[in-house]
């Protein structure tokens, strides 16, 4: 009961925006997202969250950053485009590529951004002897000349190894 009185007394000094800011921030939203939702500046959001936490004795919430490679990799593997991930997480597309690449290297996973069509097309050409037009249709190239160039680049890469 004493806690209720303490909180009730302190809430008199808090405005509704501070309560809303703390609530949204503790649910995992970033300062930027809270500022857009409430229509106030980002600095004001931080001030109001800290003010609420201090006056009510609530823990200062620190949401987990979801910018780690595992989370970004999972979003990409579940069908989200890099453009959508970057806008959702407020990251540049290059950061998304880099963090997913580092995560894949640390977990010994294949990099999902590497185009594996040239190796597949090369294998079809050498083992099956298919024409470039047929390989282009199977492997998803736009035309036979782009398929031909991809196979030739892959051949030179194999010879240089």
């Amino acid at each position: 009961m004493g806690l209720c009185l303490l909180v009730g007394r302190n809430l008199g000094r808090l405005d509704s925006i501070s309560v809303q800011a703390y609530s949204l921030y503790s649910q995992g939203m970033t300062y930027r997202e809270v500022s857009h939702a409430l229509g106030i500046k980002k600095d004001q959001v931080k001030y109001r969250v800290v003010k609420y936490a201090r006056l009510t004795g609530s823990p200062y919430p620190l949401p987990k950053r979801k910018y780690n490679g595992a989370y970004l990799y999972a979003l990409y593997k579940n069908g989200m485009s890099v453009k959508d991930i970057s806008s959702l997480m407020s990251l540049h597309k290059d950061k998304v590529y880099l963090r997913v690449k580092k995560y894949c290297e640390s977990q010994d996973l294949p990099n999902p951004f590497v185009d594996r069509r040239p190796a597949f097309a090369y294998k079809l050409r050498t083992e099956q002897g298919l024409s470039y037009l047929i390989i282009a249709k199977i492997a998803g190239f736009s035309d036979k000349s782009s398929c031909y160039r991809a196979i030739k680049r892959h051949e030179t890469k194999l010879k240089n190894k």
Side-chain angles (χ1 to χ4, degrees):
M1 184 160 151
L3 180 62
C4 292
L5 291 175
L6 176 68
V7 171
R9 194 175 35 189
N10 286 335
L11 283 178
R13 292 188 284 176
L14 289 173
D15 53 328
S16 64
I17 292 181
S18 296
V19 175
Q20 290 174 337
Y22 182 84
S23 175
L24 293 173
Y25 185 73
S26 64
Q27 291 174 25
M29 292 178 78
T30 62
Y31 289 134
R32 176 187 262 176
E33 292 168 339
V34 174
S35 72
H36 287 299
L38 298 178
I40 59 176
K41 293 182 179 179
K42 193 167 99 173
D43 296 336
Q44 278 292 312
V45 172
K46 184 174 182 178
Y47 168 77
R48 290 174 185 276
V49 167
V50 171
K51 177 182 173 183
Y52 179 89
R54 286 185 181 150
L55 288 175
T56 61
S58 301
Y60 180 70
L62 296 172
K64 292 181 181 176
R65 291 188 62 166
K66 296 180 181 175
Y67 302 150
N68 61 3
Y71 187 74
L72 299 175
Y73 177 77
L75 289 175
Y76 182 76
K77 288 306 263 185
N78 285 314
M80 197 172 215
S81 70
V82 173
K83 181 180 178 183
D84 291 339
I85 294 170
S86 66
S87 64
L88 173 71
M89 301 310 243
S90 301
L91 291 171
H92 192 273
K93 288 190 298 185
D94 293 344
K95 290 282 188 186
V96 174
Y97 284 117
L98 181 66
R99 290 180 183 173
V100 170
K101 180 183 173 191
K102 285 183 178 181
Y103 171 73
C104 290
E105 289 171 356
S106 69
Q107 301 296 317
D108 292 327
L109 295 170
N111 186 343
F113 306 123
V114 174
D115 189 7
R116 292 179 174 75
R117 293 180 306 165
F120 177 64
Y122 176 77
K123 188 174 180 181
L124 287 175
R125 180 71 178 166
T126 56
E127 293 178 4
Q128 307 262 330
L130 298 174
S131 70
Y132 293 111
L133 182 60
I134 294 172
I135 295 171
K137 289 178 182 177
I138 293 171
F141 289 100
S142 59
D143 57 4
K144 70 179 183 180
S145 62
S146 61
C147 176
Y148 173 80
R149 288 191 304 272
I151 290 173
K152 291 302 177 189
R153 279 194 305 270
H154 186 72
E155 281 178 350
T156 56
K157 190 192 305 184
L158 290 176
K159 288 178 185 176
N160 291 337
K161 282 186 177 182

